[in-house]
C-alpha cells in the first residue's frame, strides 16, 4: 500500500486563500482588518527568521501588521509595559512574543501578561483552561495542534470513535492535541491514549492506533511494524540529522527527518504527513486563523 500524502504546504495555501477572502469581506463590511503585533527581543537569528515568516504571512492575508523590535537589554518592567500598551490598543487583535526571551526576563510572567483575548498562540493558562472545557469555550487552540486537527479533517479521515494514540506529552503539542481529539464534536470524538517516556510498551499502543500522532523529537522513533495497516500517521517531529548543500542556493541547509521512518511507513499507512512539508507549514497558518478569529470575536461574528 502507498499512503495518501497529507501535504501541509497545499493545505496552507487553501487556508491562507480562505483567510484572505474573509479579511477582504470583513474590511468591506466593517471597515477593519485583523491586527497582529510581533514583539522580537534581541537578534537571535532563528527568532528573526520565524518572525519574518510570520510578518510576511500576515501581510499576504491582508492584516495590519506591527513589528516591534526591542533591544536585548530591555527590562522586564518595560516589556510588561509594552504588552500592556498592546493589550489596550484597539487596532491589535493578536499579540505574539517571540521566544526565547533574554535570561533576565521571566518568560512566563511576560506571556501571562498578554490579554487572553489577544493570546493567539493559545498558551495563556486561561486559554489552556478554555481548551480543556472544549466546545464554545475554546477561543484560540494552540497553533500546531490546531494544524494537526485541520489536516486530519481536510484529509477526510474519520475521527469519531477512532483510536488516537499521541506520542509525547509536551504542553505545546502532545497534551493539547490529545485534549482536542477527545472532545465531542467535528474532527474529534476519538478515544485517546497519550504515550511518553514513562510508557511500558510503546509499540503495543502505537499498533492499535487508527490515528497516530507522533511528537517526540526522536528521529525514526516509530518503526514501520508499529503502524496499523491503513492508519493515519501524523509526524510532528522535526529533527536536524545533518547538513547538505542546497541545489537552488548553493548554501548549507539542514537535513530534516521526522519521528517516523517515512519510507517504510508510507507502504503501510493509509495517510501520512511528510517531513518537511507536513505539519510544519500549518503552525503559522493557524496563527493567522486565530488572529482572524480574535477580530471576529470582537465584532461578534465568530
Ligand atoms: P518536547 O521535547 O517538549 O516533548 C517531547 C515528548 O515526547 C515528551 O513528552 C517525551 O515524554 C516524549 N518522548 C520523547 N522521547 C520519547 C521516547 N523515546 N518514547 C516515548 N516518548 C518520548 O517536544 P515538543 O515541543 O512536543 O516537540 C516534539 C517534536 O515536534 C520536535 O521534533 C519538535 O521540533 C517538533 N515540533 C514541530 C512543530 C511544527 O512542525 N510546527 C511544532 C512544535 C514541535
Amino acid at each position: 500500500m502507498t499512503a495518501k500524502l497529507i501535504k501541509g504546504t497545499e493545505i496552507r495555501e487553501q487556508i491562507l486563500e480562505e483567510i484572505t477572502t474573509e479579511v477582504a469581506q470583513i474590511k468591506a463590511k466593517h471597515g477593519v482588518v485583523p491586527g497582529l503585533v510581533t514583539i522580537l527581543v534581541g537578534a537571535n537569528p532563528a527568532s528573526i527568521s520565524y518572525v519574518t515568516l510570520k510578518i510576511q504571512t500576515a501581510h499576504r492575508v491582508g492584516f495590519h501588521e506591527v513589528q516591534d523590535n526591542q533591544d536585548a537589554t530591555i527590562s522586564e518592567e518595560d516589556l510588561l509595559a509594552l504588552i500592556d500598551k498592546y493589550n489596550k490598543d484597539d487596532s491589535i487583535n493578536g499579540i505574539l512574543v517571540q521566544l526565547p526571551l533574554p535570561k533576565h526576563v521571566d518568560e512566563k510572567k511576560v506571556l501571562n501578561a498578554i490579554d487572553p483575548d489577544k493570546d493567539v498562540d493559545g498558551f495563556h493558562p486561561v486559554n489552556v483552561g478554555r481548551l480543556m472545557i472544549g466546545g464554545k469555550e475554546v477561543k484560540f487552540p494552540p497553533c500546531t495542534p490546531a494544524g494537526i486537527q485541520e489536516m486530519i479533517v481536510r484529509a477526510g479521515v474519520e475521527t469519531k470513535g477512532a483510536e488516537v494514540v499521541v506520542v509525547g506529552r509536551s504542553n505545546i503539542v502532545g497534551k493539547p492535541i490529545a485534549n482536542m481529539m477527545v472532545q465531542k464534536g467535528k474532527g474529534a470524538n476519538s478515544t485517546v491514549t497519550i504515550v511518553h517516556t514513562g510508557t511500558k510498551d510503546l509499540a503495543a499502543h502505537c499498533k492499535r492506533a487508527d490515528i497516530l500522532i507522533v511528537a517526540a523529537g526522536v528521529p525514526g522513533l516509530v518503526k514501520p511494524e508499529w503502524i496499523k495497516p491503513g492508519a493515519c500517521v501524523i509526524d510532528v517531529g522535526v529533527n536536524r540529522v545533518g547538513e547538505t548543500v542546497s541545489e537552488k542556493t548553493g548554501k548549507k541547509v539542514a537535513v530534516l527527518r521526522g519521528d517516523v521512518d517515512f519510507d517504510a511507513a508510507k507502504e503501510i499507512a493509509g495517510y501520512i504527513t511528510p517531513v518537511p512539508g507536513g505539519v510544519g507549514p500549518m503552525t503559522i497558518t493557524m496563527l493567522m486563523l486565530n488572529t482572524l478569529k480574535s477580530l471576529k470575536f470582537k465584532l461578534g461574528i465568530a
Side-chain angles (χ1 to χ4, degrees):
M1 180 192 293
T2 301
K4 186 174 181 284
L5 272 190
I6 311 178
K7 293 184 187 164
T9 41
E10 280 178 10
I11 299 176
R12 168 185 62 194
E13 293 308 306
Q14 290 166 12
I15 297 175
L16 292 181
E17 279 306 308
E18 290 163 15
I19 295 174
T20 308
T21 304
E22 208 174 343
V23 168
Q25 286 166 349
I26 291 174
K27 189 177 178 184
K29 194 165 178 193
H30 300 274
V32 283
V33 297
L36 179 67
V37 59
T38 49
I39 300 174
L40 173 66
V41 180
N44 175 326
S47 296
I48 292 173
S49 78
Y50 290 137
V51 164
T52 306
L53 204 54
K54 289 171 187 174
I55 292 166
Q56 284 169 349
T57 313
H59 281 156
R60 175 180 161 180
V61 295
F63 288 1
H64 160 59
E65 214 287 324
V66 178
Q67 300 167 47
D68 198 325
N69 294 353
Q70 295 291 329
D71 201 86
T73 55
I74 188 173
S75 69
E76 185 178 288
E77 195 187 353
D78 286 350
L79 196 51
L80 290 170
L82 197 66
I83 304 277
D84 188 50
K85 182 183 101 172
Y86 290 117
N87 280 343
K88 291 174 179 151
D89 184 338
D90 258 356
S91 72
I92 295 298
N93 306 101
I95 301 172
L96 281 182
V97 178
Q98 186 63 46
L99 300 180
L101 291 174
K103 286 199 170 61
H104 66 274
V105 175
D106 182 343
E107 232 167 59
K108 211 167 164 187
K109 205 167 166 185
V110 171
L111 294 183
N112 289 354
I114 297 173
D115 178 346
D117 289 343
K118 295 189 179 187
D119 166 45
V120 286
D121 264 332
F123 293 146
H124 192 287
V126 168
N127 284 318
V128 175
R130 287 168 170 165
L131 191 79
M132 185 68 154
I133 296 166
K136 288 195 165 39
E137 284 292 323
V138 182
K139 287 207 148 180
F140 308 119
C143 301
T144 302
I148 294 169
Q149 191 178 38
E150 194 67 32
M151 294 177 101
I152 296 170
V153 169
R154 289 192 187 227
V157 174
E158 179 61 86
T159 56
K160 186 179 173 197
E163 289 284 341
V164 172
V165 174
V166 178
V167 184
R169 57 179 158 188
S170 73
N171 287 330
I172 63 164
V173 189
K175 278 193 261 182
I177 188 60
N179 183 40
M180 289 161 77
M181 297 307 291
V182 85
Q183 303 289 347
K184 219 170 185 175
K186 193 183 156 225
N189 224 349
S190 309
T191 303
V192 180
T193 306
I194 307 181
V195 296
H196 43 74
T197 44
T199 299
K200 280 185 187 151
D201 189 346
L202 207 59
H205 289 286
C206 292
K207 277 179 188 171
R208 53 178 181 72
D210 300 312
I211 300 172
L212 182 60
I213 301 169
V214 193
V218 181
L221 173 70
V222 171
K223 309 290 174 261
E225 60 272 22
W226 298 7
I227 294 167
K228 183 173 166 179
C232 172
V233 178
I234 307 288
D235 189 353
V236 190
V238 181
N239 307 291
R240 284 165 195 262
V241 293
E243 270 187 348
T244 186
V245 176
S246 161
E247 279 181 20
K248 262 191 203 165
T249 61
K251 286 185 183 167
K252 275 188 184 172
V253 286
V255 176
L256 301 178
R257 255 185 87 192
D259 289 351
V260 177
D261 178 351
F262 178 82
D263 288 333
K266 77 176 193 316
E267 301 304 325
I268 302 162
Y271 299 82
I272 194 164
T273 58
V275 178
V279 176
M282 296 299 291
T283 302
I284 290 181
T285 306
M286 302 316 280
L287 188 65
M288 299 301 135
L289 202 58
N290 274 350
T291 308
L292 171 62
K293 271 167 82 180
S294 178
L295 175 63
K296 286 166 71 180
F297 283 127
K298 192 176 158 199
L299 295 172
I301 56 170

